[in-house]
Amino acid sequence: MSIVSVAGVCKTYPAFRLKDVSFSLERGKITGFIGRNGAGKTTTIKSMLNLIHTDSGEVSYFGIPLSGHETEIKQRIGYSTGTVSWYPRKTIREIVDVTRTFYPNWDGEAYRRYMELFALDENKKPMELSEGMKVKFNLLLALSHRAEVLILDEPTSGLDPFSRDELLDLFRTLKEHGVTILFSTHITSDLEKCADNIIYISRGEIRADCPKADFMRDCGKADETLEEVFLRLEKEARA
């Protein structure tokens, strides 16, 4: 069942254009969003969250258009980037105390569980955290209000291999509980471990949107990894 729909989204910048981007996300599936730097991944994600004004197109969640229902929808979704932009001199506890007031569905038990899982210290400030711990803190906030959809822009950026594996295990557990996950990444080996579907964007256009197995069958060659398929497609597009 489709839980997120992106239809005909366009956005023009002086040096880049997002062209008629359309795809949907299935409930309880993990979708990897791949494309080289500047291909349009972050612009697409920002369009999905109304963080930029698009030229045309429509985004809907749970069968409800984002336009006119943004507050209602954002209570039910989580968003995280690979970086943190919170007040660097406030403690995690202080930031959480403010953040939780925006979410009626804030789950204190889940928050404590993820604090322990991510080994975060409530008394630390973002400026005192490593890059990997900043990513975990951002994910903590996204996961603590029972989000039904997670939209993650480079969520494993800055994490060591062990922490990345822990996070991918968490994604698989969330999927089993019906959570829909879209995440962009340059670490394609992560997608090989956990993604159900692949969306591939190049030069502002969606080039593939299908189950991972279909992507590998239709776009790959014998014995190629997902990374090798992606790199070859990018080279061919620029030949």
Side-chain angles (χ1 to χ4, degrees):
M1 174 184 175
S2 174
I3 196 169
V4 182
S5 174
V6 178
V9 170
C10 297
K11 175 66 178 178
T12 300
Y13 292 104
F16 173 77
R17 184 182 173 211
L18 202 64
K19 308 168 194 173
D20 195 29
V21 166
S22 299
F23 58 84
S24 61
L25 304 179
E26 299 175 66
R27 183 185 296 275
K29 297 289 187 181
I30 299 173
T31 299
F33 194 18
I34 62 173
R36 66 183 300 164
N37 287 339
K41 299 188 303 298
T42 297
T43 301
T44 299
I45 287 173
K46 287 182 175 180
S47 299
M48 295 174 68
L49 297 162
N50 200 29
L51 297 178
I52 59 173
H53 294 295
T54 57
D55 301 327
S56 60
E58 183 176 275
V59 178
S60 63
Y61 295 81
F62 321 110
I64 305 167
L66 181 61
S67 177
H69 301 86
E70 186 171 348
T71 300
E72 171 190 350
I73 286 170
K74 287 188 175 179
Q75 292 292 327
R76 301 173 64 184
I77 67 176
Y79 167 58
S80 176
T81 68
T83 59
V84 158
S85 57
W86 308 102
Y87 292 105
R89 297 183 185 278
K90 296 290 186 181
T91 65
I92 288 177
R93 180 184 291 109
E94 291 172 315
I95 294 169
V96 168
D97 283 344
V98 173
T99 302
R100 68 193 305 166
T101 64
F102 292 98
Y103 295 100
N105 290 331
W106 184 270
D107 187 334
E109 183 179 339
Y111 165 71
R112 289 186 290 274
R113 186 167 64 249
Y114 292 126
M115 280 291 295
E116 182 177 350
L117 176 64
F118 294 156
L120 286 164
D121 182 348
E122 283 187 319
N123 297 310
K124 287 204 168 184
K125 304 169 184 177
M127 62 184 292
E128 298 173 327
L129 301 178
S130 68
E131 290 306 308
M133 294 304 281
K134 288 178 182 178
V135 172
K136 289 182 178 182
F137 175 43
N138 221 16
L139 281 168
L140 168 77
L141 296 178
L143 290 167
S144 293
H145 65 273
R146 301 180 187 172
E148 298 168 60
V149 175
L150 290 176
I151 299 173
L152 311 174
D153 195 3
E154 298 287 346
T156 56
S157 173
L159 296 180
D160 61 79
F162 182 78
S163 295
R164 289 209 326 270
D165 280 344
E166 282 187 327
L167 189 57
L168 297 180
D169 284 341
L170 174 61
F171 287 171
R172 286 187 283 261
T173 299
L174 291 169
K175 165 188 160 179
E176 290 171 2
H177 288 84
V179 177
T180 301
I181 300 173
L182 171 73
F183 76 99
S184 71
T185 183
H186 290 100
I187 308 173
T188 51
S189 59
D190 288 349
L191 300 181
E192 288 181 315
K193 294 176 182 177
C194 73
D196 300 296
N197 302 317
I198 296 292
I199 296 173
Y200 168 46
I201 189 169
S202 180
R203 297 183 178 182
E205 296 184 79
I206 301 297
R207 305 293 185 180
D209 173 19
C210 57
K212 181 176 63 179
D214 292 352
F215 180 81
M216 296 300 293
R217 182 195 65 215
D218 297 340
C219 301
K221 295 182 178 180
D223 299 323
E224 280 188 323
T225 64
L226 180 58
E227 180 176 8
E228 289 168 338
V229 175
F230 168 58
L231 291 173
R232 179 174 50 76
L233 291 175
E234 283 297 306
K235 289 177 182 177
E236 291 174 355
R238 281 154 178 77

